[in-house]
Amino acid sequence: MTRKPDPAGLKLRLIAAQRLRDVLRGEHFLPLTATELPDGRDRALANRLITTALRRHGQINAILEETLAKGLPPRSGTFEAIVRLSLAQLVFLPELGAHSALFLAVEALKRDAKARHLTGLMNAVLRKAQGNSARYGLMDEMLLLPERARVAWSASYGSDVVRQCAEALVAGAPLDLTLRDDDPELVAALDAEPALMDTVRLKNRDRSVEDLLGYQQGRWWVQDVAAAIPARLLHLAPGSAVLDLCAAPGGKTAQLSKSGYAVTALDSDAARLERLRANMDRLGYTPDIVVGDAASFAPATVFDGVLLDAPCSATGTFRRHPEVLWHRAEADIAGRVQLQRSLLANAYRCLAVGGTLIYCVCSLEAVEGEDQADWVKQALPGLALYPVTPGELPGLKEAITPRGLVRTHPGMAPNGQTGGMDGFFVARFRRTR
Ligand SMILES: C[S@@+](CC[C@H](N)C(=O)[O-])C[C@H]1O[C@@H](n2cnc3c(N)ncnc32)[C@H](O)[C@@H]1O
């Protein structure tokens, strides 16, 4: 007996469900690649379903609460991933058609021995959601954010910014590039617009990063406009010795190299440093590369500048990694705060008297940002705050706080641009003794 061929669209949903399941279990979201799903249209659709399910995670939680009286069935294989992908399609991507969402959800479930007994439940949930899809489509945007983030961000920035963050979560992020050289012809050919200093923003993007003009020749690197701010604030003389702690994959190493500094790039993750090395080879920069622990690294000679881009909750990157919002609990943010303090203390030891330290995190949590600047004041008295002035960030004065710290969030954009920016915090210090 010959087996019936799989219905069209099933394979991509099975692969998407696997990827979403991994992310729900705590992995970082990486879009499916051509190796995983060679057909470009299938791949684009699978990635769209996953990203919609992740961006709408909070609203889908509310739908599941209403439609699953007893909650998610335990030990049910891919059930949760499939129901989330199907709700994403049914409610938030109606142009893809309801029929395929319902039919392929059940077909996908039948392929999973741990979940195939739940086809009745899947049908019931999706039919209820279909009946209510107009109402679900208009759900409160605030449901998009977990309560922890809503409360913490409201306290730090006010409710308007929280709403802007919710809107930015749905909108996603544009692609920003930092240019290796002043290159107006390249900017025009890329259909990009100047965003801030040597950062440009692509207006349209119809291909993968590697296929964009100038990538292979190392004429730019991908870096959100907010992420490009910290390295610009060092202002040292060319040739100065600069230590880039926590450097991989090297966006800031490339900027420091471009400024003409003698750069040492350190990271504890050897595999990520290999990516840094490949990036520097492509761009033609030659920093010293060191595998080491930034909390205990003891250089033979101190540095004129240290940039500490500390490991953090990464909640400022939620437009590209919506899962960070749901993976970060209070306790693990507190763990990162302690790690950041030990890295700050060692960054101070690595810095020459008179040298400049930049501390930054891609986080929207004040405990990892503004509060750390307060901690430095009382715990590391040899470091004095060296305020950032409005003239240093033309077109982005609103990001500079009265104390001279830099705070960006997705509701901001430089020079009247649209498309927002990552949430970043930057503090600059000088070693006084
Ligand atoms: C925010 S990422 C750095 C991004 C990088 N600066 C850039 O601009 O491309 C944080 C990095 O910290 C590294 N890291 C975490 N703990 C570390 C430690 N104790 N010592 C050195 N690096 C560490 C991670 O491996 C990761 O590459």
Side-chain angles (χ1 to χ4, degrees), residues 12-94:
L12 76 89
R13 278 172 176 78
L14 290 171
I15 294 175
Q18 239 4 292
R19 175 59 51 92
L20 180 60
R21 189 183 185 201
D22 292 342
V23 177
L24 293 172
R25 286 167 161 177
E27 280 185 24
H28 209 44
F29 169 61
L30 290 173
L32 294 163
T33 63
T35 321
E36 292 162 302
L37 200 46
D39 184 278
R41 282 178 59 179
D42 281 0
R43 190 166 65 252
L45 177 53
N47 281 327
R48 191 159 168 229
L49 288 171
I50 305 169
T51 45
T52 305
L54 291 173
R55 289 184 195 290
R56 299 284 185 170
H57 188 91
Q59 291 178 328
I60 291 175
N61 284 350
I63 299 175
L64 287 173
E65 244 169 61
E66 226 182 89
T67 52
L68 269 174
K70 294 186 187 156
L72 281 162
R75 291 178 298 285
S76 50
T78 47
F79 180 86
E80 181 180 357
I82 294 172
V83 79
R84 284 183 180 277
L85 288 173
S86 309
L87 288 170
Q89 174 172 347
L90 206 57
V91 179
F92 302 109
L93 300 169

Side-chain angles (χ1 to χ4, degrees), residues 311-313 329-342 367-368 372:
C312 67
S313 62
E330 221 54 89
D332 71 322
I333 296 177
R336 281 160 222 247
V337 167
Q338 291 312 318
L339 172 61
Q340 288 150 11
R341 290 181 181 176
S342 63
V367 287
E368 298 181 291
Q372 295 292 43

Side-chain angles (χ1 to χ4, degrees), residues 2 12 23 60 78 105 108 127 158 164 197 215 223 289 295 325 329-330 361 372 385 398 407:
T2 51
L12 76 89
V23 177
I60 291 175
T78 47
R127 292 219 175 271
Q164 288 165 5
M197 295 150 122
Y215 174 84
Q223 190 172 37
I289 297 176
L325 294 174
E330 221 54 89
V361 278
Q372 295 292 43
L385 192 65
E398 57 176 330
R407 160 57 68 197

Side-chain angles (χ1 to χ4, degrees), residues 319-368:
R319 298 175 309 156
R320 257 165 282 116
H321 295 288
E323 73 282 4
V324 296
L325 294 174
W326 302 93
H327 288 167
R328 302 288 180 257
E330 221 54 89
D332 71 322
I333 296 177
R336 281 160 222 247
V337 167
Q338 291 312 318
L339 172 61
Q340 288 150 11
R341 290 181 181 176
S342 63
L343 301 183
L344 272 162
N346 199 43
Y348 166 65
R349 288 191 282 270
C350 295
L351 188 64
V353 174
T356 303
L357 167 66
I358 304 282
Y359 167 77
C360 60
V361 278
C362 54
S363 163
L364 280 162
E365 314 308 320
V367 287
E368 298 181 291

Side-chain angles (χ1 to χ4, degrees), residues 221-223 227 244-255 266-270 272-273 275-276 279-280 290-297 307-312 314 339 342-343 360-362 424:
W221 58 96
V222 173
Q223 190 172 37
D244 185 5
L245 285 171
C246 305
K252 297 175 190 67
T253 312
Q255 288 182 286
L266 178 139
D267 203 282
S268 56
D269 186 327
R272 284 174 66 90
L273 272 181
R275 276 177 59 204
L276 178 143
N279 284 333
M280 295 309 120
V290 179
V291 185
D293 182 352
S296 57
F297 178 61
L307 189 151
L308 172 57
D309 185 14
C312 67
L339 172 61
S342 63
L343 301 183
C360 60
V361 278
C362 54
F424 243 87

Side-chain angles (χ1 to χ4, degrees), residues 22-267:
D22 292 342
V23 177
L24 293 172
R25 286 167 161 177
E27 280 185 24
H28 209 44
F29 169 61
L30 290 173
L32 294 163
T33 63
T35 321
E36 292 162 302
L37 200 46
D39 184 278
R41 282 178 59 179
D42 281 0
R43 190 166 65 252
L45 177 53
N47 281 327
R48 191 159 168 229
L49 288 171
I50 305 169
T51 45
T52 305
L54 291 173
R55 289 184 195 290
R56 299 284 185 170
H57 188 91
Q59 291 178 328
I60 291 175
N61 284 350
I63 299 175
L64 287 173
E65 244 169 61
E66 226 182 89
T67 52
L68 269 174
K70 294 186 187 156
L72 281 162
R75 291 178 298 285
S76 50
T78 47
F79 180 86
E80 181 180 357
I82 294 172
V83 79
R84 284 183 180 277
L85 288 173
S86 309
L87 288 170
Q89 174 172 347
L90 206 57
V91 179
F92 302 109
L93 300 169
E95 66 279 16
L96 298 181
H99 173 72
S100 69
L102 279 120
F103 170 69
L104 291 170
V106 170
E107 288 301 311
L109 214 57
K110 286 184 191 161
R111 305 300 193 276
D112 180 354
K114 292 212 171 101
R116 62 171 62 115
H117 60 292
L118 296 167
T119 51
L121 184 64
M122 178 68 78
N123 246 318
V125 171
L126 296 183
R127 292 219 175 271
K128 260 196 227 168
Q130 189 182 19
N132 286 303
S133 61
R135 176 166 63 88
Y136 289 153
L138 297 173
M139 261 185 303
D140 185 0
E141 281 176 333
M142 286 308 206
L143 287 172
L144 290 163
L145 301 170
E147 195 185 352
R148 185 209 65 75
R150 275 198 313 256
V151 171
W153 300 353
S154 279
S156 303
Y157 318 114
S159 54
D160 283 354
V161 171
V162 180
R163 193 159 287 283
Q164 288 165 5
C165 287
E167 285 163 10
L169 176 58
V170 176
L175 189 73
D176 293 342
L177 311 176
T178 307
L179 301 176
R180 189 187 57 192
D181 307 300
D182 188 19
D183 210 339
E185 277 171 27
L186 175 69
V187 177
L190 283 166
D191 196 16
E193 273 179 354
L196 184 73
M197 295 150 122
D198 55 357
T199 298
V200 298
R201 176 160 287 186
L202 257 60
K203 286 190 273 179
N204 299 297
R205 179 176 155 199
D206 58 356
R207 62 197 72 186
S208 68
V209 164
E210 293 78 7
D211 293 331
L212 288 171
L213 181 67
Y215 174 84
Q216 304 296 346
Q217 301 77 30
R219 294 167 77 183
W220 47 260
W221 58 96
V222 173
Q223 190 172 37
D224 188 84
V225 65
I229 291 173
R232 294 196 183 116
L233 301 175
L234 262 178
H235 305 305
L236 299 172
S240 300
V242 173
L243 174 61
D244 185 5
L245 285 171
C246 305
K252 297 175 190 67
T253 312
Q255 288 182 286
L256 299 170
S257 304
K258 176 178 169 177
S259 296
Y261 305 143
V263 182
T264 300
L266 178 139
D267 203 282

